[in-house]
Amino acid sequence: MKITADGFEFDFTDAIDVFVFDEKDKTKPGYHDAQMMKAVDLIVELQECYLFVEMKDIFDTDRYIQSQERDPCPRENRQCPHELSPFKRLKELSKYKFHDTYPFRHAEQKVDKPIRYICLLTFENAFNLHMQKTLQQELPVGRVSRRWQSGLAESCVVVHVAAWNRLFPKWPVRLLA
Amino acid sequence: MLHKIKLEKFTAFESLEVTFSSGLNILIGANGTGKTHILKVLYAACDITKSKKSLSEKINKVFLPSGEQIGRLAKRKTVSTEGSVEVIRHVNNPPKPIAIRLRLSNHTKTPDKATVSGAFKQWLAHPLESVYIPVKDMMANAPGFRSLYELRDIHFEEIYADIISRASLPLLRGGVDTPRKSLLEILQKAMNGKVIQKNEEFFLKNEQGELEFTLLAEGMRKLALLWLLIQNGTLLQGSVLFWDEPETNLNPRIMKTIVEILLELQRMGVQIFLTTHDYIILKEVDLQTRPGDDILYHSLYRDPESHEIQATQTKHYLEIAHNTIDEAFGDIMDRDMVRSMGTLGR
């Protein structure tokens, strides 16, 4: 299943369904009409899980600025991302996109399989490892409360395009020019 | 300014030629790709302009092959081997390149039997101040070491005695100029004090008193050493700094300061050669580089087919090929990914 979003083209060859989750086009059936909530870019349904996919091409300056403008200051109880360092801003946005997508999907009654979060960021390995560790702690990954019956996120990984293609050969991705 | 090195059947090298920048040269590569050997040859070539030793003698002392048999520096083969090194530098008055060469075979027993050729007299006629900071700290062991090294046959590469000598030099006449003052202030802030020497022993002096180097963290000793070399005028315009793995024993947070100092020294006209295995150093150089800086990344690697050492160069961080440091992070990332995602997508 091929899909294009935010300057990336994917082919999820073993997917049951793939769609743009933060759809802005009101005429499309998948329009994200709860504008007060943030949203990850893509959702992929596989046999065994859902993938929440968030992409950012940091080196595509125009597109990155547009994406920042699309993300208004979050609710009052959260620190405004515009006041944060670039790393923290990106981390907070990636985190809150997951945090808002989860209840939206819960309300859709679409959290019936484990959820895995993949962030596709065009950074180098060391930065991605740092971002991955921070997101794993803050999402959080796994069942962190004794009262929980399941975790919010089964896993969270942060990769660049080359690593994605190396590690997920069934889901090739390319950056569109 | 050192311009080029050519190595033929010397130590680990079959045949290699590397051209350098007049500013900051950063050598990366896996263990055993000869980064330190390149630094040692270049350092020996610089040091003889001041010490007036023969190139073969200095190279022998700096490498310290077993039994001090210089022939052991020829590349090991099952047949007789002739090896050579050639160093080319640019000099002024008049401006031109000059070269010196050392040729030896695996049968050469003593340095005086090795052949030194090239523009040796001109080479010595243009003194080049240089300093080699080795991986292991020697400053805490300074008291008595130099005299012991001079008088007894102790098994230490000469770089260790040399660095103590350089650090112990008295101040240059005329005081410390403004650019060096600002560098010293950066270092003083980072190590919270100044360095003083009493009877060959080094101390860090601050508000709490005088702390001997043996009680000082090894990372702090490195900052202190840099402070001494800047303060006593060893590192001035036209000098050459060789630093083998600056990251050793240093907390990554201090790298920002180290790189700041290195780039400022480069801007002052110090030619710098450093080897590293450290991502933070590479990234700090990338982040702190300004237009006009002269940075060259040298990546040493073994050719997958011939297994011989080769080198690539680039001025741009993102274009570093055979980047073993990034590859190591990539390997960790891949294994972490497999742990998180299992066989999904594969």
Side-chain angles (χ1 to χ4, degrees):
Chain A
M1 277 186 179
K2 287 194 175 177
I3 193 161
T4 301
D6 276 7
F8 294 87
E9 183 185 79
F10 297 86
D11 187 3
F12 292 94
T13 59
D14 59 347
I16 297 168
D17 190 18
V18 182
F19 58 97
V20 175
F21 183 66
D22 64 343
E23 182 59 65
K24 306 287 186 299
D25 186 345
K26 289 182 181 177
T27 64
K28 294 201 170 165
Y31 171 59
H32 190 288
D33 50 1
Q35 291 294 309
M36 74 295 294
M37 301 176 85
K38 293 192 173 298
V40 298
D41 293 320
L42 294 179
I43 289 184
V44 182
E45 183 177 1
L46 301 171
Q47 192 68 40
E48 50 282 84
C49 64
Y50 293 105
L51 303 180
F52 288 6
V53 183
E54 177 64 22
M55 299 93 73
K56 282 271 183 294
D57 181 5
I58 311 300
F59 297 108
D60 185 342
T61 313
D62 290 344
R63 198 184 292 274
Y64 186 60
I65 290 169
Q66 283 169 19
S67 76
Q68 288 194 321
E69 287 169 352
R70 277 205 310 272
D71 291 312
C73 266
R75 291 185 290 274
E76 286 174 12
N77 61 342
R78 294 174 184 169
Q79 191 177 1
C80 175
H82 299 287
E83 297 166 4
L84 302 173
S85 70
F87 173 83
K88 281 191 175 167
R89 175 181 158 75
L90 191 57
K91 183 259 293 176
E92 293 291 289
L93 282 173
S94 304
K95 180 171 76 176
Y96 289 129
K97 283 188 171 199
F98 179 91
H99 282 171
D100 280 7
T101 299
Y102 190 93
F104 189 105
R105 294 290 284 168
H106 171 79
E108 285 187 299
Q109 298 189 335
K110 291 286 188 186
V111 287
D112 51 316
K113 299 179 190 179
I115 292 162
R116 296 178 184 273
Y117 191 26
I118 309 181
C119 292
L120 179 58
L121 304 179
T122 51
F123 283 117
E124 57 194 316
N125 292 321
F127 178 90
N128 279 346
L129 273 173
H130 182 46
M131 178 67 85
Q132 177 174 292
K133 185 195 121 200
T134 312
L135 280 176
Q136 285 173 346
Q137 288 170 332
E138 295 187 18
L139 283 181
V141 165
R143 200 151 52 105
V144 297
S145 168
R146 280 182 297 175
R147 294 165 57 186
W148 290 9
Q149 296 304 307
S150 63
L152 295 174
E154 181 79 7
S155 61
C156 168
V157 294
V158 180
V159 288
H160 50 60
V161 172
W164 176 296
N165 283 321
R166 190 171 62 245
L167 291 156
F168 307 129
K170 282 187 183 172
W171 310 330
V173 62
R174 70 184 181 98
L175 258 171
L176 300 172
Chain B
M1 176 211 114
L2 296 169
H3 173 59
K4 190 182 281 189
I5 190 169
K6 294 179 183 176
L7 303 134
E8 295 287 336
K9 295 184 174 60
F10 185 81
T11 63
F13 304 98
E14 179 63 26
S15 178
L16 187 75
E17 186 174 317
V18 184
T19 303
F20 303 113
S21 133
S22 59
L24 173 59
N25 294 274
I26 303 172
L27 283 73
I28 67 163
N31 289 117
T33 51
K35 302 180 297 297
T36 300
H37 288 191
I38 290 177
L39 256 59
K40 283 183 169 179
V41 170
L42 294 173
Y43 170 67
C46 292
D47 181 80
I48 59 170
T49 65
K50 303 285 278 191
S51 66
K52 308 298 181 193
K53 284 184 178 174
S54 84
L55 180 63
S56 54
E57 181 74 27
K58 187 68 190 182
I59 282 187
N60 208 34
K61 288 286 183 190
V62 159
F63 278 88
L64 206 61
S66 179
E68 297 197 26
Q69 288 184 55
I70 194 169
R72 295 180 67 82
L73 298 178
K75 192 175 184 209
R76 305 294 167 84
K77 301 217 172 204
T78 50
V79 293
S80 286
T81 313
E82 279 225 340
S84 67
V85 294
E86 180 176 345
V87 181
I88 300 152
R89 62 187 276 218
H90 287 149
V91 293
N92 299 320
N93 303 325
K96 61 177 177 182
I98 55 173
I100 49 167
R101 278 175 292 278
L102 172 72
R103 190 173 294 280
L104 48 84
S105 88
N106 59 325
H107 301 297
T108 312
K109 295 265 190 258
T110 53
D112 58 306
K113 301 292 183 196
T115 311
V116 177
S117 59
F120 195 69
K121 279 189 180 171
Q122 289 181 65
W123 192 273
L124 297 189
H126 293 84
L128 197 50
E129 190 67 68
S130 63
V131 60
Y132 187 109
I133 304 179
V135 176
K136 295 185 205 98
D137 165 67
M138 286 300 290
M139 305 311 293
N141 309 101
F145 183 85
R146 275 189 301 162
S147 44
L148 181 67
Y149 187 84
E150 293 297 328
L151 296 172
R152 301 286 170 175
D153 187 14
I154 55 172
H155 200 70
F156 272 87
E157 296 137 270
E158 200 155 88
I159 49 172
Y160 292 106
D162 287 353
I163 187 61
I164 295 172
S165 299
R166 301 290 201 281
S168 305
L169 284 171
L171 282 176
L172 276 183
R173 282 187 186 158
V176 179
D177 53 45
T178 310
R180 281 193 296 144
K181 260 185 196 161
S182 66
L183 292 183
L184 293 174
E185 280 165 12
I186 293 167
L187 284 166
Q188 280 161 215
K189 194 176 165 191
M191 60 188 185
N192 190 28
K194 294 180 179 182
V195 185
I196 57 165
Q197 189 180 15
K198 290 181 179 175
N199 301 323
E200 293 195 359
E201 194 173 0
F202 292 100
F203 297 83
L204 181 71
K205 185 177 182 181
N206 57 25
E207 288 171 356
Q208 278 81 47
E210 294 170 2
L211 192 62
E212 48 272 53
F213 267 33
T214 46
L215 301 180
L216 207 57
E218 285 220 19
M220 282 298 146
R221 291 180 210 167
K222 285 205 167 178
L223 294 181
L225 173 60
L226 208 49
W227 189 92
L228 281 164
L229 296 170
I230 293 169
Q231 192 232 20
N232 70 17
T234 301
L235 293 174
L236 284 176
Q237 182 183 13
S239 64
V240 187
L241 167 64
F242 302 92
W243 199 347
D244 202 2
E245 299 180 17
E247 67 270 19
T248 312
N249 300 318
L250 278 178
N251 186 288
R253 283 183 181 276
I254 301 179
M255 288 307 161
K256 187 177 174 187
T257 302
I258 293 286
V259 169
E260 183 183 358
I261 299 284
L262 288 174
L263 287 172
E264 279 302 327
L265 286 170
Q266 170 256 158
R267 287 169 197 137
M268 283 165 50
V270 177
Q271 190 178 20
I272 302 169
F273 296 82
L274 67 87
T275 72
T276 186
H277 295 285
D278 188 53
Y279 168 79
I280 307 285
I281 285 189
L282 288 184
K283 195 65 201 173
E284 279 291 351
V285 171
D286 179 43
L287 288 172
Q288 294 190 44
T289 298
R290 291 188 209 148
D293 285 341
D294 193 359
I295 316 292
L296 197 55
Y297 301 93
H298 305 268
S299 185
L300 283 91
Y301 65 100
R302 285 192 184 270
D303 181 79
E305 288 180 6
S306 68
H307 302 291
E308 299 300 345
I309 297 167
Q310 298 189 353
T312 61
Q313 286 81 33
T314 178
K315 286 177 174 289
H316 307 289
Y317 169 77
L318 285 176
E319 292 172 6
I320 301 174
H322 307 282
N323 187 343
T324 48
I325 299 167
D326 191 51
E327 285 165 14
F329 277 105
D331 178 59
I332 289 172
M333 203 172 82
D334 286 3
R335 287 185 286 135
D336 202 10
M337 198 85 59
V338 169
R339 186 173 66 173
S340 292
M341 298 293 287
T343 56
L344 283 174
R346 296 158 83 82

